[in-house]
Amino acid sequence: MKPHLLIFLLYSYQLSGQLTENFERSDISKWYSNNENRWKISLSKPLSGNYSLHHVYDNNLSDHDQISIMHDPLILDSAKTTWRFGIRYEYHPSAYNHWAAFLVSDKNATSMHPDGDCNGYILGVNYTGSDDFIKFWKSSDGEVTEIMNTGFNWQNEIGTDIPVTFEIIRHQTGRWEFFIDTTMNHSCKTRLGLAEDSELIVSRFFGLYYKYSPRQDQRLWFDDLYICGS
């Protein structure tokens, strides 16, 4: 094969790379946790199918845990990128109890927290602050900046027992679209908002961040991850 053709094929594969994970094979080997045995593929109250990823560590101390998966490089300025996933969080969010999803990151779970040094984009509740709104942040060179407040209050609109799905679309121009759905089949989407940011254009990891106070661990479930650059 000619060298320039090989380079073209590899680059095209990166742009159209796809990652799907529904955890039905009960295999967590591709996921990396910052602390071992904090997460498990579990039969307990799955979001869909028979299994979901569940934070299972019983901790008598306040802590935060992260888990991540590596994917083929996404070059965000070269294709439209879509993320979809489901979340159930069975506690009222606060400054000490909350979750966030790292849609984009150049480093793994070890760096996916507010004091970490990854470069990435984050969607979640109370990753910084404590007003319970779903927000979108950027982490760049160790500094976390809020890009958008959706105005959607998780505690008032979702509560502690409703699973939701998110869909996030990042266009080549740097325009982001955010949707939430209180079904697990993307049949009733509500637009959360739009944002513009194009500083970070390469991603290698997706991950979850979970902060909890004593006795409020084991309350986060995750399922049906889909990432596609097309």
Side-chain angles (χ1 to χ4, degrees):
M1 182 179 290
K2 295 180 180 180
H4 67 273
L5 179 58
L6 177 60
I7 292 171
F8 172 78
L9 290 176
L10 288 173
Y11 187 66
S12 297
Y13 178 71
Q14 290 179 352
L15 297 187
S16 60
Q18 179 171 312
L19 172 65
T20 60
E21 178 61 86
N22 61 14
F23 303 105
E24 293 304 304
R25 293 177 299 171
S26 191
D27 179 13
I28 202 172
S29 61
K30 294 182 180 180
W31 291 77
Y32 171 76
S33 177
N34 65 307
N35 291 301
E36 294 184 2
N37 303 317
R38 301 292 174 100
W39 307 81
K40 182 180 179 180
I41 298 175
S42 172
L43 286 163
S44 172
K45 298 189 286 186
L47 275 69
S48 68
N50 295 314
Y51 296 92
S52 291
L53 180 65
H54 181 202
H55 183 268
V56 296
Y57 184 66
D58 187 2
N59 198 339
N60 60 3
L61 301 173
S62 297
D63 208 345
H64 60 82
D65 293 320
Q66 298 89 244
I67 190 168
S68 64
I69 187 169
M70 178 183 283
H71 52 69
D72 292 321
L74 288 169
I75 313 301
L76 302 181
D77 277 359
S78 299
K80 182 178 77 172
T81 307
T82 301
W83 296 262
R84 298 191 193 110
F85 56 88
I87 287 276
R88 183 172 63 241
Y89 178 52
E90 293 189 346
Y91 195 66
H92 298 296
S94 68
Y96 305 101
N97 295 278
H98 51 261
W99 64 269
F102 279 73
L103 309 174
V104 168
S105 181
D106 64 344
K107 296 181 180 178
N108 67 21
T110 303
S111 298
M112 292 178 174
H113 55 87
D115 295 322
D117 60 352
C118 75
N119 295 298
Y121 291 107
I122 305 147
L123 181 73
V125 180
N126 295 351
Y127 185 69
T128 63
S130 58
D131 56 17
D132 302 341
F133 289 118
I134 297 174
K135 294 181 179 180
F136 182 52
W137 295 267
K138 176 172 60 181
S139 176
S140 181
D141 297 326
E143 181 178 352
V144 178
T145 304
E146 180 183 316
I147 298 174
M148 181 187 67
N149 182 345
T150 69
F152 189 101
N153 187 291
W154 182 276
Q155 180 163 318
N156 294 343
E157 302 294 334
I158 301 300
T160 60
D161 59 354
I162 299 175
V164 302
T165 55
F166 288 94
E167 180 176 278
I168 303 97
I169 300 170
R170 198 275 193 188
H171 297 272
Q172 292 171 265
T173 59
R175 180 168 60 96
W176 297 75
E177 297 182 82
F178 301 87
F179 302 89
I180 193 170
D181 193 335
T182 54
T183 71
M184 286 300 295
N185 58 13
H186 302 280
S187 63
C188 190
K189 293 192 296 185
T190 298
R191 182 188 291 274
L192 288 173
L194 299 170
E196 297 279 347
D197 195 283
S198 57
E199 178 184 351
L200 308 177
I201 62 170
V202 180
S203 181
R204 293 298 307 273
F205 298 91
F206 174 92
L208 296 173
Y209 162 82
Y210 179 34
K211 183 177 176 63
Y212 50 88
S213 58
R215 297 184 300 277
Q216 306 310 333
D217 46 39
Q218 306 178 70
R219 295 179 181 267
L220 185 67
W221 284 257
F222 177 85
D223 211 339
D224 293 345
L225 174 64
Y226 169 89
I227 303 174
C228 183
S230 58

